[in-house]
Amino acid sequence: MSNDSTDRKDEAITNGSEEAFDLTGLLLDYLSKWKWFLLSVVVFIIGAYFYIATIVPTYKVNASIYLNKADAQSGAATLDPNSPLVSMKTYIDETELEILKSRNNVIDIVDSLNMSYSYWRKGNFRDIPIYENNAVEVKLDSVSLRNLTSPIELTVSNGTSENKFDIVAKTNFNDAKEEKKLENVTLPCEIDLSQGTVTVSRVSHVPALEGTEKVYIRNPRTVAAQLASALNISFADKSSTIVRISLLTNLQREGVDVINTLVDLYNRQIIEDKNRSAIQTEAFILERLVMINDELRDVEQRLQDYRQAHNIADLGAQLNTSLATKTNSESQLAEVEAQSQIISSIENAVAKADEYSTLPSATSDQGLNTVIESYNRKVSQLNRMMETQTSDNPVVKSVQEELTREKSRILQNISSVKGGLNARKKNIVAIEGRSAGTLSSVPTIDKGLQEIFREQQVKVNIYTFLLQKREEIALQKTLATPTARLIDNPVGEGPVSPKVSTIYMIAFLLGLALPAAIIFIHRFFFPVFKDQEELQRLTKLPIIGEISNDYDTEDPIVVGENVSTAIAELFRLLRNNIGFTKNGADKKVILVTSSISGEGKTFIATNLAMTYALTGKKTIVVGMDIRRPVLAHKFGLTNQQGVTTFLSGQCNDISNLIFQSKENENLFVMPAGPVPPNPNELLLSNNMTRLVEQLRHDFDYVVIDSAPIGLISDSFLIVPHADIELYVTRASYSTKTCLKVLHQAHAAGKLKDAYIVLNGVDMKSGSYTYRKYGHYYHSNNTYGYAYGYGYSNEKDKKSKK
C-alpha cells in the first residue's frame, strides 16, 4: 500500500468519524423548503383566526379610589420609619384590601347584580355574552339557588308560531344527567327540576328574541369565587390611600357595575361600623332618659304638691311678690272702686236718658265703649232722617226699634261690667289677705322647699346632659361620610384577551418553527447528507464523484451513445476521475459497494461500466451480490447461471456465463447466479481467484457489483482481488452511521483504496442553487460544468427518442 493511501487512511481514522453539527447545511435545507414554511405559516394563521373566533374576549376594567383614613393615620407623618407602628400600619392597610375583596362583599355584589344568572346569545363560532338586553329572564327561588350543586343550563329559542318558545333545560343531579324539553310554550312558564323550579319570562323592554339565548344558573358562591379570582385590588406605588382596582370580565358594563357596587358596599359597611358605637350609645342614652324623666317627674310632682300645699312657687320671690302684691292690690282696689263708680254713673245716665238720645261712653271697658258709640252713631242717623221724614215712615220705625233693642243690650253690658268689677274687687281683697299670711309663714316653708329643689336640680342636670349627648350622636350619624371615594371612574379597556396580535405572532412563529423543528429533528435522528459539501464535512476520504437524480426514465442505463444529459456527463466525469487517481491506468478491477441496500451501487456499477464501453473498451459488469442478486434483472436476464455456478464448480467455462448486453456491443454482463447456501466459502475459494484473473485477461475493465459492507462481510472477501473500491452513498438517504461503517472498515484495513461516490443528488434543490457550486451551474433548467459543457431538457428528450 502506498504512503499516500496510508496517509489518507490515518487521516480518515482520526478525523473521518467526526460529526460536527452542520449549521450551514441546516440553513440551506430550510431555504430549499421555503414552500413548506409558507404553507405552515398560512395554516397556522388560519388556525389562529378560527381560534380567536372561538374565544370570548376578556376586557379589563380599571378604577382608582381614595381611602379617607385621616383619623386613623393622623399621626402617620410623625412615625419613625423603623417604628413597629409602621409595620402595624401596613398590616392595617392590607387588612383594608382584604375587606374590600372579602367573600361576603363579593357574594353581596353577585346578589345585587344577579350575576348567578349569565345570559348568552348563540353564535357561529362561540356564544356571545349579553348584559341587560336579554330577551328572556330566568329566576330560581333563593333557597334552591343557594343550595345549587351543579349549574343549570337553559336554551330558549323561537317556536313554530309567534310568541311561542322552545326551551331545553339541562343539569346534573346526584351524578345523573337531567334534561327537560318544552315545545311551543307561552312565557312566563315554570320548569320543575330536581334542584328547584325555574321560572322563565319575557323581558318587556326587549322587543323580540333574536336567534337562540342560553342561560346558565350557578351557585352564588361559585360565581363569587370566580369573580374574586378576576378581581385585583392593590395600593398604588408609594401610597397607602390610593387603591387601584382592576377586573377581568367578558362584559365591560358589568365590570363597571361590579366596581361601583363594590365601592358602595364598602362605604356602607364603613358607615355601619362608624355608627355601630353611636347606635349603642344612643340606645343607652334613650333608656336613661326614660328613667331620669320618670324620676324628674316624681320630683316635680312632689315640688308641685309642696307648693300647692303651702301655696308657694319661689319662696324668696314670693316674699317680694307678697309685698308687691299687697301694695298693688291696694292700688288696684282703688282703681276698681273708681271704675265701679263711673259705670254706676253711666248706668244711671242711660236709664234716665230720653229715648233716641246720645249716651256717654267714658268707661275703661273698651267693648262697652264700642257698643255705646255704635248706638250714638245710629241716633245721629235717626236724627238726620227725622229732619226729612215723619215718625210714621217705616224706615224710621225700623231704626227706632233697633235703637230700643241696642239700649237694652247696653244696659245688660253695663250690668255685666259691674259684675266683673265686683268679682275683681273680691279677688283683689283675697290676694291681699293671702299676701299678708305668706309674709308670716316664710321661714318655716323655706327649709322643705330647698330640699325638694336640690333633688330636682340634680335630675334636671342629668336629663340635660343626656339630651345634649343624644344630639351629638345624632349629628355624628348625620355627618358620617364614606371612606372610599372614586377618583378614577371605572373604565374598560381591551380586549386584553385574546391578544390578537400576540396570537397571530405566535401562529406565525409556530408556522416557522414546526417545519423547522421537523427538518431539524429529521436531520438529528436521521442524519442524512444531501450534497457533496455536507459529505465533505463528515469524512476525510476522497469523494471521487457525485451522481444526480435528474432523470425521468425507468431504464437502469442512463448513459448511452449521443446522450449528453447531466447524469450521463456526471458518470463520464466519474470515469475520468478514476483515471486521474494514482496509478489510475492500472486500475482495471473496480469494486462497487455501499453500506446498506438502496444506495444505488448496482445503478452506479452498470452505468459506470457503460461509460467505459462507450469508449470502445471491452467492459463487464459482474454480479457478486450473491445473497441478493439484482443485476440480471436490470439487464433482462435470469439468475439460473452466473458467478455462483462457476465458484461452486458446476461450470468451468466462464464464457458460457457471460452475456452481451443489448445497450452496447462492448458491454457484457455476468449475473450472480443462484443464491448459494455458503456465500463466504465460495468467495474464499480458488475459483474466485481464477474468475477474477480470467476476467482481467479477457476484458479491459471489470466492474464488480458487490454486497453492502454494512450488512454482510462478503465484499471484504472480494477487496483483495480489486484495484479500487467505490463506496456508494445516497444523498438524503444514507445516514452518518453509514459513514461510520466506511471509516471503521477503512481504519481496520478492510478497504485498501477506497473512494466515495455520492448518488442521488438533487441538483434542482435550493441547496445547490444557494451554494452556487463551481462544478456545475443551474439556470433556466440547463445544467453544465464550469468549463462550459451543458445540455437542455429539450435536447435530452430528443436524444432519448
CSV table of all heavy atoms in Angstrom, one decimal, residues 571 591-608 621-626 628-631 634 703-709 711-712 715 726-730 757 759:
chain,number,residue,atom,x,y,z
A,571,PHE,N,-21.5,10.7,-14.9
A,571,PHE,CA,-20.9,9.3,-15.0
A,571,PHE,C,-19.6,9.4,-15.8
A,571,PHE,O,-18.6,8.7,-15.4
A,571,PHE,CB,-21.9,8.3,-15.6
A,571,PHE,CG,-22.8,7.7,-14.6
A,571,PHE,CD1,-24.1,8.0,-14.6
A,571,PHE,CD2,-22.3,6.8,-13.7
A,571,PHE,CE1,-25.0,7.4,-13.6
A,571,PHE,CE2,-23.1,6.2,-12.7
A,571,PHE,CZ,-24.5,6.5,-12.7
A,591,LEU,N,-14.3,-2.3,-7.7
A,591,LEU,CA,-15.3,-2.9,-6.8
A,591,LEU,C,-16.3,-1.8,-6.4
A,591,LEU,O,-15.9,-0.7,-5.9
A,591,LEU,CB,-14.7,-3.5,-5.5
A,591,LEU,CG,-15.6,-4.0,-4.4
A,591,LEU,CD1,-16.4,-5.2,-4.9
A,591,LEU,CD2,-14.8,-4.3,-3.2
A,592,VAL,N,-17.6,-2.0,-6.6
A,592,VAL,CA,-18.6,-1.0,-6.2
A,592,VAL,C,-19.4,-1.6,-5.0
A,592,VAL,O,-20.0,-2.7,-5.2
A,592,VAL,CB,-19.5,-0.7,-7.4
A,592,VAL,CG1,-20.6,0.3,-6.9
A,592,VAL,CG2,-18.7,-0.2,-8.5
A,593,THR,N,-19.4,-0.9,-3.9
A,593,THR,CA,-20.2,-1.4,-2.7
A,593,THR,C,-20.8,-0.2,-2.0
A,593,THR,O,-20.7,0.9,-2.5
A,593,THR,CB,-19.2,-2.1,-1.7
A,593,THR,OG1,-20.0,-2.7,-0.7
A,593,THR,CG2,-18.2,-1.2,-1.2
A,594,SER,N,-21.5,-0.5,-0.9
A,594,SER,CA,-22.2,0.5,-0.1
A,594,SER,C,-22.3,0.0,1.3
A,594,SER,O,-21.8,-1.1,1.6
A,594,SER,CB,-23.5,0.9,-0.7
A,594,SER,OG,-24.4,-0.2,-0.7
A,595,SER,N,-23.0,0.8,2.1
A,595,SER,CA,-23.3,0.3,3.5
A,595,SER,C,-24.5,-0.5,3.6
A,595,SER,O,-24.6,-1.5,4.3
A,595,SER,CB,-23.3,1.5,4.4
A,595,SER,OG,-22.1,2.2,4.5
A,596,ILE,N,-25.6,0.0,3.0
A,596,ILE,CA,-26.9,-0.7,3.1
A,596,ILE,C,-27.5,-0.7,1.7
A,596,ILE,O,-27.0,-0.1,0.7
A,596,ILE,CB,-27.8,0.1,4.0
A,596,ILE,CG1,-28.0,1.5,3.5
A,596,ILE,CG2,-27.4,0.0,5.4
A,596,ILE,CD1,-29.0,2.3,4.4
A,597,SER,N,-28.5,-1.5,1.5
A,597,SER,CA,-29.2,-1.6,0.2
A,597,SER,C,-30.0,-0.4,0.0
A,597,SER,O,-30.4,0.3,0.9
A,597,SER,CB,-30.1,-2.9,0.2
A,597,SER,OG,-31.1,-2.7,1.2
A,598,GLY,N,-30.2,-0.1,-1.3
A,598,GLY,CA,-31.0,1.1,-1.7
A,598,GLY,C,-30.1,2.3,-1.9
A,598,GLY,O,-30.7,3.4,-2.3
A,599,GLU,N,-28.8,2.2,-1.8
A,599,GLU,CA,-28.0,3.4,-2.0
A,599,GLU,C,-27.6,3.6,-3.5
A,599,GLU,O,-27.0,4.6,-3.9
A,599,GLU,CB,-26.7,3.3,-1.1
A,599,GLU,CG,-27.1,3.5,0.3
A,599,GLU,CD,-25.8,3.4,1.2
A,599,GLU,OE1,-25.2,2.4,1.2
A,599,GLU,OE2,-25.6,4.4,2.0
A,600,GLY,N,-27.9,2.5,-4.3
A,600,GLY,CA,-27.7,2.7,-5.7
A,600,GLY,C,-26.4,2.1,-6.2
A,600,GLY,O,-25.9,2.6,-7.3
A,601,LYS,N,-25.8,1.2,-5.6
A,601,LYS,CA,-24.5,0.6,-6.0
A,601,LYS,C,-24.6,-0.1,-7.3
A,601,LYS,O,-23.8,0.0,-8.2
A,601,LYS,CB,-23.9,-0.3,-5.0
A,601,LYS,CG,-24.7,-1.5,-4.6
A,601,LYS,CD,-24.1,-2.4,-3.6
A,601,LYS,CE,-24.9,-3.6,-3.2
A,601,LYS,NZ,-25.3,-4.4,-4.4
A,602,THR,N,-25.7,-0.8,-7.6
A,602,THR,CA,-25.9,-1.5,-8.8
A,602,THR,C,-26.1,-0.5,-10.0
A,602,THR,O,-25.6,-0.7,-11.1
A,602,THR,CB,-27.1,-2.5,-8.7
A,602,THR,OG1,-26.9,-3.4,-7.6
A,602,THR,CG2,-27.3,-3.3,-10.0
A,603,PHE,N,-26.9,0.5,-9.7
A,603,PHE,CA,-27.1,1.6,-10.7
A,603,PHE,C,-25.8,2.2,-11.0
A,603,PHE,O,-25.5,2.5,-12.2
A,603,PHE,CB,-28.1,2.6,-10.1
A,603,PHE,CG,-28.3,3.8,-10.9
A,603,PHE,CD1,-29.0,3.8,-12.1
A,603,PHE,CD2,-27.7,5.0,-10.6
A,603,PHE,CE1,-29.2,4.9,-12.9
A,603,PHE,CE2,-27.9,6.2,-11.4
A,603,PHE,CZ,-28.7,6.1,-12.5
A,604,ILE,N,-24.9,2.5,-10.1
A,604,ILE,CA,-23.6,3.1,-10.3
A,604,ILE,C,-22.7,2.1,-11.1
A,604,ILE,O,-22.0,2.5,-12.1
A,604,ILE,CB,-22.9,3.5,-9.0
A,604,ILE,CG1,-23.8,4.6,-8.3
A,604,ILE,CG2,-21.5,4.0,-9.2
A,604,ILE,CD1,-23.9,5.9,-9.0
A,605,ALA,N,-22.7,0.9,-10.7
A,605,ALA,CA,-21.9,-0.1,-11.4
A,605,ALA,C,-22.2,-0.3,-12.8
A,605,ALA,O,-21.3,-0.3,-13.7
A,605,ALA,CB,-22.0,-1.4,-10.6
A,606,THR,N,-23.5,-0.4,-13.1
A,606,THR,CA,-23.9,-0.6,-14.5
A,606,THR,C,-23.6,0.6,-15.4
A,606,THR,O,-23.1,0.4,-16.5
A,606,THR,CB,-25.4,-1.0,-14.6
A,606,THR,OG1,-26.1,0.1,-13.9
A,606,THR,CG2,-25.7,-2.3,-13.9
A,607,ASN,N,-24.0,1.8,-14.9
A,607,ASN,CA,-23.8,3.0,-15.8
A,607,ASN,C,-22.3,3.3,-15.9
A,607,ASN,O,-21.8,3.8,-16.9
A,607,ASN,CB,-24.5,4.1,-15.2
A,607,ASN,CG,-26.0,4.0,-15.5
A,607,ASN,OD1,-26.5,4.4,-16.6
A,607,ASN,ND2,-26.8,3.5,-14.5
A,608,LEU,N,-21.5,3.1,-14.8
A,608,LEU,CA,-20.0,3.3,-14.9
A,608,LEU,C,-19.4,2.4,-16.0
A,608,LEU,O,-18.6,2.8,-16.8
A,608,LEU,CB,-19.4,3.1,-13.6
A,608,LEU,CG,-17.8,3.2,-13.5
A,608,LEU,CD1,-17.4,4.6,-13.9
A,608,LEU,CD2,-17.3,2.9,-12.1
A,621,VAL,N,-19.8,-6.2,-16.3
A,621,VAL,CA,-20.3,-6.0,-15.0
A,621,VAL,C,-20.6,-7.3,-14.4
A,621,VAL,O,-21.3,-8.2,-15.0
A,621,VAL,CB,-21.7,-5.2,-15.1
A,621,VAL,CG1,-22.2,-4.9,-13.7
A,621,VAL,CG2,-21.4,-3.9,-15.9
A,622,VAL,N,-20.0,-7.6,-13.2
A,622,VAL,CA,-20.1,-8.8,-12.6
A,622,VAL,C,-21.0,-8.7,-11.3
A,622,VAL,O,-20.7,-7.9,-10.5
A,622,VAL,CB,-18.7,-9.4,-12.2
A,622,VAL,CG1,-18.8,-10.7,-11.5
A,622,VAL,CG2,-17.8,-9.4,-13.4
A,623,GLY,N,-22.0,-9.5,-11.3
A,623,GLY,CA,-22.9,-9.5,-10.1
A,623,GLY,C,-22.4,-10.4,-9.0
A,623,GLY,O,-22.5,-11.6,-9.0
A,624,MET,N,-21.7,-9.8,-8.0
A,624,MET,CA,-21.2,-10.5,-6.9
A,624,MET,C,-22.0,-10.2,-5.6
A,624,MET,O,-21.5,-10.6,-4.5
A,624,MET,CB,-19.7,-10.3,-6.7
A,624,MET,CG,-18.9,-10.9,-7.8
A,624,MET,SD,-17.1,-11.0,-7.3
A,624,MET,CE,-16.5,-11.9,-8.8
A,625,ASP,N,-23.2,-9.7,-5.7
A,625,ASP,CA,-24.1,-9.6,-4.5
A,625,ASP,C,-24.9,-10.9,-4.6
A,625,ASP,O,-26.0,-10.9,-5.0
A,625,ASP,CB,-24.9,-8.3,-4.6
A,625,ASP,CG,-25.8,-8.1,-3.4
A,625,ASP,OD1,-25.7,-9.0,-2.4
A,625,ASP,OD2,-26.5,-7.1,-3.3
A,626,ILE,N,-24.2,-12.0,-4.2
A,626,ILE,CA,-24.7,-13.3,-4.4
A,626,ILE,C,-25.9,-13.7,-3.5
A,626,ILE,O,-26.5,-14.7,-3.7
A,626,ILE,CB,-23.6,-14.3,-4.4
A,626,ILE,CG1,-22.9,-14.3,-3.1
A,626,ILE,CG2,-22.6,-14.1,-5.5
A,626,ILE,CD1,-21.8,-15.4,-3.0
A,628,ARG,N,-28.3,-11.4,-2.6
A,628,ARG,CA,-29.5,-10.7,-3.1
A,628,ARG,C,-29.2,-10.2,-4.5
A,628,ARG,O,-29.0,-9.0,-4.8
A,628,ARG,CB,-29.8,-9.5,-2.2
A,628,ARG,CG,-31.1,-8.9,-2.5
A,628,ARG,CD,-31.4,-7.8,-1.5
A,628,ARG,NE,-32.7,-7.2,-1.7
A,628,ARG,CZ,-33.1,-6.1,-1.1
A,628,ARG,NH1,-32.4,-5.5,-0.1
A,628,ARG,NH2,-34.3,-5.6,-1.4
A,629,PRO,N,-29.2,-11.1,-5.5
A,629,PRO,CA,-28.8,-10.7,-6.8
A,629,PRO,C,-29.9,-9.9,-7.5
A,629,PRO,O,-31.1,-10.3,-7.5
A,629,PRO,CB,-28.6,-12.0,-7.5
A,629,PRO,CG,-29.5,-13.0,-6.8
A,629,PRO,CD,-29.5,-12.5,-5.3
A,630,VAL,N,-29.5,-8.7,-8.1
A,630,VAL,CA,-30.5,-7.9,-8.8
A,630,VAL,C,-29.9,-7.5,-10.2
A,630,VAL,O,-30.6,-6.9,-11.0
A,630,VAL,CB,-30.8,-6.6,-8.0
A,630,VAL,CG1,-31.6,-7.0,-6.7
A,630,VAL,CG2,-29.6,-5.8,-7.7
A,631,LEU,N,-28.6,-7.7,-10.4
A,631,LEU,CA,-28.0,-7.2,-11.7
A,631,LEU,C,-28.7,-7.9,-12.9
A,631,LEU,O,-28.9,-7.2,-13.9
A,631,LEU,CB,-26.5,-7.6,-11.6
A,631,LEU,CG,-25.7,-7.1,-12.8
A,631,LEU,CD1,-25.7,-5.6,-12.9
A,631,LEU,CD2,-24.3,-7.6,-12.8
A,634,LYS,N,-31.8,-6.2,-14.0
A,634,LYS,CA,-31.6,-4.9,-14.6
A,634,LYS,C,-31.4,-5.0,-16.2
A,634,LYS,O,-31.7,-4.1,-16.9
A,634,LYS,CB,-30.4,-4.1,-14.0
A,634,LYS,CG,-30.5,-3.9,-12.5
A,634,LYS,CD,-31.6,-2.9,-12.2
A,634,LYS,CE,-31.7,-2.6,-10.7
A,634,LYS,NZ,-32.8,-1.6,-10.4
A,703,VAL,N,-16.1,-4.3,-13.7
A,703,VAL,CA,-16.9,-3.6,-12.6
A,703,VAL,C,-17.6,-4.6,-11.8
A,703,VAL,O,-18.5,-5.3,-12.4
A,703,VAL,CB,-17.8,-2.5,-13.2
A,703,VAL,CG1,-18.5,-1.8,-12.1
A,703,VAL,CG2,-17.0,-1.6,-14.1
A,704,ILE,N,-17.3,-4.7,-10.5
A,704,ILE,CA,-18.0,-5.7,-9.7
A,704,ILE,C,-19.0,-5.1,-8.8
A,704,ILE,O,-18.8,-4.1,-8.1
A,704,ILE,CB,-16.9,-6.4,-8.7
A,704,ILE,CG1,-15.8,-7.1,-9.6
A,704,ILE,CG2,-17.6,-7.4,-7.8
A,704,ILE,CD1,-14.7,-7.7,-8.8
A,705,ASP,N,-20.3,-5.6,-8.9
A,705,ASP,CA,-21.4,-5.1,-8.1
A,705,ASP,C,-21.4,-6.1,-6.9
A,705,ASP,O,-22.0,-7.2,-7.0
A,705,ASP,CB,-22.7,-5.2,-8.9
A,705,ASP,CG,-23.9,-4.8,-8.0
A,705,ASP,OD1,-23.7,-4.1,-7.0
A,705,ASP,OD2,-25.0,-5.2,-8.4
A,706,SER,N,-20.9,-5.6,-5.8
A,706,SER,CA,-20.8,-6.4,-4.6
A,706,SER,C,-21.9,-6.1,-3.6
A,706,SER,O,-22.7,-5.2,-3.7
A,706,SER,CB,-19.4,-6.3,-3.9
A,706,SER,OG,-19.3,-5.0,-3.4
A,707,ALA,N,-21.9,-6.9,-2.5
A,707,ALA,CA,-22.9,-6.7,-1.4
A,707,ALA,C,-22.5,-5.5,-0.5
A,707,ALA,O,-21.4,-5.1,-0.4
A,707,ALA,CB,-22.9,-8.0,-0.6
A,708,PRO,N,-23.5,-4.9,0.2
A,708,PRO,CA,-23.2,-3.8,1.1
A,708,PRO,C,-22.4,-4.3,2.3
A,708,PRO,O,-22.6,-5.4,2.9
A,708,PRO,CB,-24.6,-3.4,1.6
A,708,PRO,CG,-25.6,-4.0,0.6
A,708,PRO,CD,-25.0,-5.2,0.1
A,709,ILE,N,-21.4,-3.5,2.6
A,709,ILE,CA,-20.5,-3.9,3.7
A,709,ILE,C,-21.1,-3.7,5.1
A,709,ILE,O,-20.5,-4.2,6.1
A,709,ILE,CB,-19.1,-3.1,3.6
A,709,ILE,CG1,-19.4,-1.6,3.8
A,709,ILE,CG2,-18.5,-3.4,2.3
A,709,ILE,CD1,-18.1,-0.8,3.8
A,711,LEU,N,-24.0,-4.7,6.0
A,711,LEU,CA,-24.9,-5.8,6.3
A,711,LEU,C,-24.1,-7.1,6.4
A,711,LEU,O,-24.4,-7.9,7.3
A,711,LEU,CB,-26.0,-5.9,5.3
A,711,LEU,CG,-26.8,-4.6,5.1
A,711,LEU,CD1,-27.8,-4.8,3.9
A,711,LEU,CD2,-27.6,-4.3,6.4
A,712,ILE,N,-23.2,-7.4,5.5
A,712,ILE,CA,-22.5,-8.7,5.5
A,712,ILE,C,-21.1,-8.4,5.1
A,712,ILE,O,-20.7,-7.3,4.7
A,712,ILE,CB,-23.2,-9.7,4.5
A,712,ILE,CG1,-23.3,-9.0,3.1
A,712,ILE,CG2,-24.5,-10.2,5.0
A,712,ILE,CD1,-23.9,-9.9,2.0
A,715,SER,N,-18.2,-8.5,0.8
A,715,SER,CA,-17.4,-7.5,-0.1
A,715,SER,C,-16.0,-7.5,0.4
A,715,SER,O,-15.0,-7.3,-0.4
A,715,SER,CB,-18.0,-6.1,0.0
A,715,SER,OG,-19.3,-6.2,-0.6
A,726,LEU,N,-15.1,1.6,-4.9
A,726,LEU,CA,-16.0,2.8,-4.9
A,726,LEU,C,-17.1,2.5,-3.9
A,726,LEU,O,-17.9,1.5,-4.0
A,726,LEU,CB,-16.6,2.9,-6.3
A,726,LEU,CG,-15.7,3.2,-7.5
A,726,LEU,CD1,-16.4,3.4,-8.8
A,726,LEU,CD2,-14.8,4.4,-7.2
A,727,TYR,N,-17.1,3.4,-2.9
A,727,TYR,CA,-18.1,3.3,-1.8
A,727,TYR,C,-19.3,4.2,-2.2
A,727,TYR,O,-19.1,5.4,-2.2
A,727,TYR,CB,-17.5,3.6,-0.5
A,727,TYR,CG,-18.4,3.5,0.7
A,727,TYR,CD1,-18.7,2.3,1.3
A,727,TYR,CD2,-19.1,4.6,1.2
A,727,TYR,CE1,-19.5,2.2,2.4
A,727,TYR,CE2,-20.0,4.5,2.2
A,727,TYR,CZ,-20.2,3.3,2.8
A,727,TYR,OH,-21.0,3.2,3.9
A,728,VAL,N,-20.5,3.7,-2.4
A,728,VAL,CA,-21.6,4.5,-2.9
A,728,VAL,C,-22.5,4.9,-1.7
A,728,VAL,O,-22.8,4.0,-0.9
A,728,VAL,CB,-22.5,3.6,-3.9
A,728,VAL,CG1,-23.7,4.5,-4.3
A,728,VAL,CG2,-21.6,3.2,-5.1
A,729,THR,N,-22.7,6.2,-1.6
A,729,THR,CA,-23.7,6.7,-0.6
A,729,THR,C,-24.8,7.4,-1.4
A,729,THR,O,-24.6,7.8,-2.6
A,729,THR,CB,-23.0,7.7,0.3
A,729,THR,OG1,-22.5,8.8,-0.4
A,729,THR,CG2,-21.9,7.0,1.1
A,730,ARG,N,-25.9,7.6,-0.8
A,730,ARG,CA,-27.0,8.2,-1.5
A,730,ARG,C,-27.5,9.5,-0.7
A,730,ARG,O,-27.7,9.4,0.5
A,730,ARG,CB,-28.2,7.3,-1.6
A,730,ARG,CG,-29.4,7.8,-2.4
A,730,ARG,CD,-30.4,6.7,-2.5
A,730,ARG,NE,-31.7,7.3,-3.0
A,730,ARG,CZ,-32.8,6.5,-3.1
A,730,ARG,NH1,-32.8,5.3,-2.7
A,730,ARG,NH2,-33.9,7.1,-3.5
A,757,VAL,N,-18.5,7.7,-3.8
A,757,VAL,CA,-19.4,8.2,-4.9
A,757,VAL,C,-20.7,8.6,-4.2
A,757,VAL,O,-21.4,7.7,-3.6
A,757,VAL,CB,-19.6,7.2,-6.0
A,757,VAL,CG1,-20.5,7.7,-7.1
A,757,VAL,CG2,-18.2,6.8,-6.6
A,759,ASN,N,-24.4,9.4,-4.7
A,759,ASN,CA,-25.5,9.2,-5.6
A,759,ASN,C,-26.8,9.9,-5.2
A,759,ASN,O,-27.0,10.2,-4.0
A,759,ASN,CB,-25.8,7.7,-5.7
A,759,ASN,CG,-26.8,7.3,-6.7
A,759,ASN,OD1,-27.0,8.0,-7.7
A,759,ASN,ND2,-27.6,6.3,-6.4
